[in-house]
Amino acid sequence: MKTDDSLDSPIAAICREKGMKLTGQRRTIAHVLSESDDHPDVEELYRRATAVDPRISIATVYRTVRLFEEQGILRRRDFGGGRARYETTDHGDHFHLIDVDSGTVMEFDDEELKALLAGIGARMGYEVATTRLELYGRRKKKKGR
Amino acid sequence: MKTDDSLDSPIAAICREKGMKLTGQRRTIAHVLSESDDHPDVEELYRRATAVDPRISIATVYRTVRLFEEQGILRRRDFGGGRARYETTDHGDHFHLIDVDSGTVMEFDDEELKALLAGIGARMGYEVATTRLELYGRRKKKKGR
DNA sequence: TAGTATATGAGAACGATTATCAGTTGCAAG
DNA sequence: CTTGCAACTGATAATCGTTCTCATATACTA
Ligand SMILES: [Zn+2]
Ligand SMILES: [Zn+2]
Ligand SMILES: [Zn+2]
Ligand SMILES: [Zn+2]
């Protein structure tokens, strides 16, 4: 496998730091992930990766996203529809609002919300470890005047 | 199929009102659901139903929960783990807190939380139709004193 | 009680994901 | 630079929850 330096990426650097073997396929998938700012599923990642290098099988994409998730590089999301979606963890902690008509996924964050959720958990005697929160809605019509 | 009146239930009554054919299997599943106050998956419902009447196949349980969901009798939940969980809609609108150690599912509700979520959606230009919210946490140790 | 539309049981089919395994490759040591 | 081997990959089978198929059975109406 030729080594194409143009495929280097922040995620590839993390792989090296962690001592993970950096194969051509892994470098390409890391590159694709590094320049993605959305929430692709495995099929979509497969499409983007094979567009760069067709010598990648879907099995390897599945293996790689699992590996990257275990290594804390990727976060797995489930917005319904039966397929896992992925985003890099460096996007930070946030929630999602999904437009039910278009499927568009938007991100938001809110400190008051986080505090409220932690407080509810605490009141029930729990330390909240993970929150899964998605809002599904439709675009509001402009209010007439 | 013999008609066992002891299996009548509020959900069976709803079926009758809606003009749905009330088969023996459906009556049994409705009975089991009416007296369940947890979040069983299809396997568990199948166990509970066949304990009452073994002449029920898992296919019919799948069909029935789907039908009941379409009819607004059941609400489908997904707490991870890959299998759908069900609860009757008459439990009302609420959220869930899952004990990650035991798997126990607890329910909670909070008006301030609902208002905050609706406000966040509105600020983003959306009318929130559905909210999916689950807290995953571990029991807090009692604070020493 | 008979007729018909609908439901059921058993198992095949499905779709996303994981496992298997023979062949390939990154990488480190010589 | 070669070599050696553990780790990786591609192709495809297996898995798992769920839905579909179809021949048979049943509830409800008249
Ligand atoms: Zn690119
Ligand atoms: Zn996101
Ligand atoms: Zn009972
Ligand atoms: Zn509930």
Side-chain angles (χ1 to χ4, degrees), chain A residues 124-142:
Chain A
M124 295 174 73
Y126 280 79
E127 181 121 30
V128 175
T130 315
T131 299
R132 172 162 177 178
L133 167 57
E134 297 126 35
L135 304 181
Y136 294 84
R138 5 183 72 90
R139 200 166 296 149
K140 252 191 316 192
K141 301 178 233 320
K142 268 248 171 59

Side-chain angles (χ1 to χ4, degrees), chain A residues 23 25-26 55-57 60 63:
Chain A
T23 63
Q25 291 87 335
R26 214 169 265 180
R55 282 178 304 178
I56 296 177
S57 76
T60 294
R63 271 190 291 249

Side-chain angles (χ1 to χ4, degrees), chain A residues 19-77:
Chain A
M20 300 157 66
K21 196 187 272 191
L22 199 45
T23 63
Q25 291 87 335
R26 214 169 265 180
R27 189 193 319 272
T28 299
I29 295 169
H31 167 83
V32 163
L33 286 168
S34 281
E35 61 177 28
S36 293
D37 191 33
D38 50 352
H39 303 80
D41 60 21
V42 167
E43 290 284 348
E44 177 59 25
L45 288 173
Y46 177 60
R47 250 175 259 125
R48 295 180 192 179
T50 48
V52 175
D53 180 350
R55 282 178 304 178
I56 296 177
S57 76
I58 186 101
T60 294
V61 180
Y62 271 107
R63 271 190 291 249
T64 304
V65 293
R66 186 148 49 108
L67 174 69
F68 284 2
E69 194 200 353
E70 287 162 6
Q71 297 294 322
I73 296 169
L74 286 185
R75 184 161 294 140
R76 190 204 306 240
R77 300 286 191 180

Side-chain angles (χ1 to χ4, degrees), chain B residues 1 14 23 33 44 51 56 72 74-76 80 94 102 118 125 136:
Chain B
M1 158 85 40
I14 295 173
T23 63
L33 286 169
E44 177 59 25
I56 296 177
L74 286 185
R75 184 161 292 138
R76 189 203 308 241
H94 59 269
S102 68
Y136 295 83

Side-chain angles (χ1 to χ4, degrees), chain B residues 8 10-11 13-14 17 44 47 52 59 67 74-75 78 84 91 94 100-101 105 109 112 122-123 132-133 139 142 145:
Chain B
D8 268 328
I11 291 179
I14 295 173
E17 280 166 32
E44 177 59 25
R47 252 175 258 124
V52 175
L67 174 69
L74 286 185
R75 184 161 292 138
D78 173 8
H91 282 200
H94 59 269
V100 294
D101 296 314
V105 176
D109 194 11
E112 186 186 350
R123 214 173 306 133
R132 174 164 176 180
L133 167 58
R139 200 166 296 153
K142 266 248 169 62
R145 163 162 298 275

